[in-house]
Amino acid sequence: MALFRNAKRPLKIFLYNSFCTGTNHTNGYSTWVSRGSPISQFSDIKGLFTIKYGNPKPVFGLISRQFSDQALTGTEQMNLIKQLRERTSAPIKDVKLALVDCNWDIEAAQKELRKRGKVLASKKSSRNATEGLLALAQSEGKAAVIELNCETDFVARNEIFQYLALLLAKQALLVENSSQQASGLYPVGADYLQDLQLNLEHPKISGEMTVHNAITEVAAMMGENVKLRRGFLMSASLTGVVSTYLHTSHQPGLGRIAGILTLQVEDKLSQLDALQQVGSELAMHVVAAKPLFLTKELVSSDALANEREILKSQAESTGKSQMAVEKMVEGRLRKYYEEVVLMEQKFIMNDSLTVKTLVDNLSKEVGSAVKIGSFFRMEVGEGVQRLESSNEDEPVAQAA
């Protein structure tokens, strides 16, 4: 009867008293010894708890975990937690839980963390990810930029996240297809890249895996939704150059706003230094001035009709004659062109010049006709909220 009275107590009190007192029970089940000594006759203990609780496995997990904790000192446990944290970058709470569940086996705990992380990553894949970075990779005659999103700026500053972003940009730069034989801008999206193989060589994530699996691994480590949203590749003609600029750059090749453009020149032997310098300044201009079209002729009819309607409504509200209204609309349209057309904009580094005048002056300097082939501006998170509600195409400021 004493045994069953004890069994009614809370389980942990019962176990504690049994281990600490070292009382020898003579009920035929087992002999219990003092705390810190080896426990014998596990099958008998299993029989004891089966009588009361039916399933002894949770009890034995608790006993095993208590004795596992005793096998390591506090300092040793902290060292293992620190090592696993450095290996995985997982939260300390998750690191400790995995180690305890794996009896402080660091290799088994690392595998367990990866399993748990992948499950959580799949659950978080539907969450909104509007932060992140643009990564840029460039070689002679072409440049690639990708947008890798996450949920917080904290993760965007993480070295593993940044390493993956740069690696994805380099992978996008290697993409080759028949459409890229001509100069211009071409999409290199997540659907195309996700099955390509990556060779990761970071201390905390290494080995060969697909782009999709690498993103899943990093999402598991970061504890956030990580998403490759889009990518683009821009190439120049054989006699042209590609110029780039990254704004708010965390490190070379990373930033939040990118400007890319190509300069085409008739003579391949023209002064490359001058072309590259002006090209870099124009890429910076694209980031700052946010042009939407390259020339007036390329302004879309829909955009022009919409703007004309707005300007006409504003002019008519003045009460002036129809002829005066038309003149006001045409005058304000010129202002509109100066705002959204790259060649009509005032150059940000010298507002006494327009971009068109700058390019004309460059042609005279290098002794060969120069023109802007295409330009492209991209910013982290632009249009994400609108896209998620409408499922429209990605917004991109560009011209061909």
Side-chain angles (χ1 to χ4, degrees):
M1 293 299 293
L3 169 64
F4 289 103
R5 282 196 300 272
N6 282 337
K8 293 178 182 178
R9 304 177 190 175
L11 179 59
K12 292 181 73 73
I13 296 176
F14 176 71
L15 290 171
Y16 176 83
N17 290 338
S18 300
F19 282 123
C20 292
T21 58
T23 304
N24 293 325
H25 296 272
T26 57
N27 50 26
Y29 291 104
S30 66
T31 300
W32 291 52
V33 294
S34 63
R35 182 176 179 87
S37 303
I39 297 181
S40 62
Q41 301 180 13
F42 273 92
S43 60
D44 291 338
I45 297 174
K46 178 178 178 181
L48 171 65
F49 287 103
T50 303
I51 295 173
K52 178 67 179 176
Y53 299 102
N55 181 13
K57 290 184 179 179
V59 177
F60 274 85
L62 177 61
I63 295 172
S64 175
R65 185 177 297 179
Q66 288 176 341
F67 274 79
S68 174
D69 291 350
Q70 296 170 24
L72 296 173
T73 65
T75 302
E76 291 171 332
Q77 292 177 9
M78 288 303 297
N79 285 337
L80 286 173
I81 291 173
K82 181 180 179 181
Q83 290 177 36
L84 189 54
R85 165 75 173 159
E86 289 175 349
R87 286 190 190 184
T88 63
S89 294
I92 292 179
K93 178 183 68 175
D94 296 340
V95 167
K96 183 176 180 181
L97 181 61
L99 282 167
V100 171
D101 287 345
C102 296
N103 295 325
W104 298 92
D105 182 336
I106 191 169
E107 299 298 334
Q110 185 171 353
K111 292 180 181 178
E112 181 64 21
L113 274 176
R114 291 183 66 184
K115 292 178 184 177
R116 295 177 184 178
K118 288 180 179 179
V119 172
L120 289 175
S122 64
K123 291 181 179 179
K124 295 177 179 179
S125 61
S126 61
R127 288 177 13 181
N128 199 17
T130 58
E131 290 294 332
L133 287 172
L134 303 181
L136 177 71
Q138 189 172 357
S139 64
E140 185 177 358
K142 63 180 180 178
V145 60
I146 63 96
E147 179 179 359
L148 187 65
N149 292 130
C150 55
E151 297 176 46
T152 64
D153 182 58
F154 177 78
V155 167
R157 296 194 302 269
N158 183 279
E159 60 170 332
I160 301 174
F161 182 89
Q162 295 182 359
Y163 171 79
L164 177 61
L166 286 170
L167 199 59
L168 291 174
K170 292 176 183 177
Q171 187 66 47
L173 188 65
L174 298 176
V175 171
E176 295 287 352
N177 60 56
S178 58
S179 66
Q180 293 168 16
Q181 300 302 315
S183 61
L185 182 72
Y186 305 96
V188 184
D191 291 342
Y192 184 89
L193 292 175
Q194 65 178 355
D195 293 327
L196 300 181
Q197 289 289 323
L198 289 178
N199 184 21
L200 294 95
E201 297 179 343
H202 190 278
K204 296 180 181 179
I205 180 171
S206 60
E208 289 191 6
M209 61 186 76
T210 64
V211 168
H212 174 78
N213 289 340
I215 292 173
T216 302
E217 288 278 354
V218 171
M221 297 169 74
M222 300 297 102
E224 289 190 7
N225 181 19
V226 175
K227 176 184 178 183
L228 175 59
R229 182 182 173 202
R230 52 184 173 167
F232 294 92
L233 180 66
M234 180 175 282
S235 58
S237 63
L238 294 177
T239 57
V241 297
V242 175
S243 299
T244 64
Y245 173 74
L246 275 174
H247 188 61
T248 59
S249 180
H250 295 71
Q251 61 169 290
L254 295 171
R256 289 187 57 84
I257 311 174
I260 309 176
L261 62 79
T262 62
L263 289 178
Q264 297 177 0
V265 59
E266 290 183 359
D267 185 1
K268 189 175 183 179
L269 300 178
S270 297
Q271 302 175 34
L272 284 179
D273 290 343
L275 288 171
Q276 290 171 348
Q277 179 180 345
V278 174
S280 297
E281 293 173 352
L282 284 171
M284 185 186 301
H285 174 96
V286 167
V287 167
K290 303 179 182 179
L292 299 176
F293 308 97
L294 179 58
T295 64
K296 289 192 293 184
E297 293 73 23
L298 292 176
V299 176
S300 67
S301 58
D302 289 342
L304 189 59
N306 183 63
E307 188 65 21
R308 187 182 290 276
E309 182 179 347
I310 293 172
L311 294 177
K312 186 176 181 180
S313 175
Q314 292 173 347
E316 289 175 342
S317 66
T318 63
K320 295 184 178 180
S321 66
Q322 188 64 30
M323 183 178 296
V325 166
E326 291 298 328
K327 289 182 178 180
M328 291 174 65
V329 169
E330 292 304 317
R332 291 177 181 178
L333 272 178
R334 286 194 293 271
K335 182 66 175 177
Y336 170 72
Y337 287 139
E338 292 175 3
E339 292 176 352
V340 301
V341 175
L342 177 59
M343 297 300 287
E344 305 299 321
Q345 289 179 331
K346 291 182 177 180
F347 184 42
I348 60 166
M349 300 185 71
N350 183 355
D351 60 10
S352 66
L353 300 174
T354 64
V355 171
K356 183 179 183 303
T357 303
L358 176 71
V359 174
D360 290 341
N361 292 342
L362 178 61
S363 298
K364 295 175 184 177
E365 181 181 350
V366 301
S368 181
V370 178
K371 66 177 183 178
I372 299 175
S374 57
F375 75 90
F376 170 68
R377 184 186 187 277
M378 189 163 78
E379 185 170 353
V380 170
E382 60 184 349
V384 170
Q385 296 286 354
R386 179 174 62 82
L387 284 171
E388 290 183 347
S389 61
S390 65
N391 292 321
E392 295 178 9
D393 292 336
E394 301 283 2
V396 175
Q398 57 175 299

